[in-house]
Amino acid sequence: MSTALDELLKRSQPRSSQMLEHLMGEGVEHAELLELMGRLPRHEFVEPAFSHLAYSPTPLPIGRSQTISQPLTVAKMTLWLLTYARLGRVLEVGTGSGYQTCLLAHFFNKVHTIERQKSLYLQAQTRIRSMGFNNVEFLHGDGHLGWPQKVQMDAIIVTAMASKVPVALTDMLKEDGILIMPIADEVPSIGCWQRVGYKWKRLESTPAQFVPLLEGKVDA
Ligand code: SAH
């Protein structure tokens, strides 16, 4: 067991068992993912006034009018990555609370994560470092612009909704890389695609609501 997981185990709560039962009931069967979600102190990632609901099947406020997705949505997105992506380098747009970032940091060699709101960026960085993850690079910036160093990603996960995929992001994805992103269509849904040359092969899709992907960064 990694030191990071050991560290998390100390802070785990019996109340996460209800969340795990719900996830398993919905068909999430990946033992390592369930174990990790069971140990991650989700109540530390949400606004304190909502910490008693942290393990419930609902999205919750994380500050700055942003929300963390419900556990099942986070689990599904992570499962898609575990199923289809090479677990090398991943880019996350929308660090938010850093909950999804922790799951990525556990499974991928290297995580790059971008958040436009300075206070959330700072808070997530402190939180994740204190949990012992040391393979995450944080950026306060606009995810529309991609990562400043033009490294190619095995996977990109966007946790805020837009009507189309920002070009800078598609440019950073390796041939046959995996993109997960919520798209504001007739039925808003989160999709999983594989890049095949200049085309996209859709692998998965499920209806979901997300906060919007916004332009620019906020220095507060
Ligand atoms: N994955 C997060 C969910 C955060 S909600 C979690 O586990 O908590 C989406 C986040 O995307 C918000 O924090 C919001 O500020 C951020 N965001 C929205 N538009 C963005 C952009 N253009 N670049 C970077 N972050 C953005």
Side-chain angles (χ1 to χ4, degrees):
M1 193 185 298
S2 72
T3 325
L5 260 187
D6 248 352
E7 201 43 51
L8 295 174
L9 184 57
K10 288 186 204 142
R11 295 147 85 164
S12 71
Q13 297 287 310
R15 52 188 167 176
S16 68
S17 61
Q18 227 176 343
M19 175 186 81
L20 296 182
E21 272 169 33
H22 178 248
L23 292 175
M24 287 186 272
E26 293 291 332
V28 178
E29 286 173 351
H30 195 287
E32 196 176 343
L33 175 61
L34 289 169
E35 189 190 39
L36 180 61
M37 288 183 74
R39 287 174 179 179
L40 263 184
R42 194 172 152 90
H43 57 281
E44 291 182 17
F45 290 77
V46 302
E47 269 189 9
F50 294 88
S51 63
H52 62 293
L53 293 173
Y55 301 88
S56 307
T58 176
L60 290 173
I62 56 169
R64 311 288 307 176
S65 306
Q66 304 303 311
T67 53
I68 183 173
S69 303
Q70 66 149 305
L72 182 59
T73 307
V74 178
K76 272 189 192 170
M77 294 190 292
T78 310
L79 268 181
W80 290 346
L81 289 171
L82 295 174
T83 307
Y84 300 113
R86 269 189 309 271
L87 302 176
R89 199 182 283 274
V90 62
L91 172 66
E92 177 189 39
V93 174
T95 316
S97 70
Y99 184 79
Q100 176 78 66
T101 319
C102 288
L103 301 186
L104 298 175
H106 177 77
F107 288 109
F108 280 81
N109 291 335
K110 182 86 190 176
V111 182
H112 302 257
T113 185
I114 309 177
E115 171 56 53
R116 69 185 289 275
Q117 302 252 16
K118 190 166 190 185
S119 56
L120 295 179
Y121 148 82
L122 290 172
Q123 206 173 37
Q125 190 169 7
T126 308
R127 187 178 280 149
I128 292 170
R129 296 234 164 104
S130 79
M131 287 177 174
F133 293 104
N134 53 16
N135 58 341
V136 184
E137 280 196 43
F138 297 85
L139 179 72
H140 172 221
D142 181 353
H144 285 98
L145 307 175
W147 195 259
Q149 287 79 38
K150 297 296 167 206
V151 275
Q152 292 285 291
M153 304 290 169
D154 293 298
I156 297 179
I157 175 169
V158 183
T159 60
M161 189 173 260
S163 53
K164 57 182 194 309
V165 184
V167 180
L169 295 185
T170 51
D171 285 352
M172 306 207 82
L173 194 59
K174 282 185 188 166
E175 168 75 35
D176 78 13
I178 297 298
L179 171 74
I180 294 181
M181 181 167 173
I183 296 289
D185 220 334
E186 250 170 70
V187 179
S189 56
I190 179 145
C192 174
W193 295 268
Q194 183 167 42
R195 180 180 175 170
V196 185
Y198 291 101
K199 295 196 174 152
W200 294 98
K201 181 177 165 193
R202 192 165 81 172
L203 303 170
E204 305 278 355
S205 173
T206 189
Q209 287 291 347
F210 274 80
V211 294
L213 188 71
L214 299 171
E215 300 279 345
K217 59 177 182 173
V218 178
D219 286 318

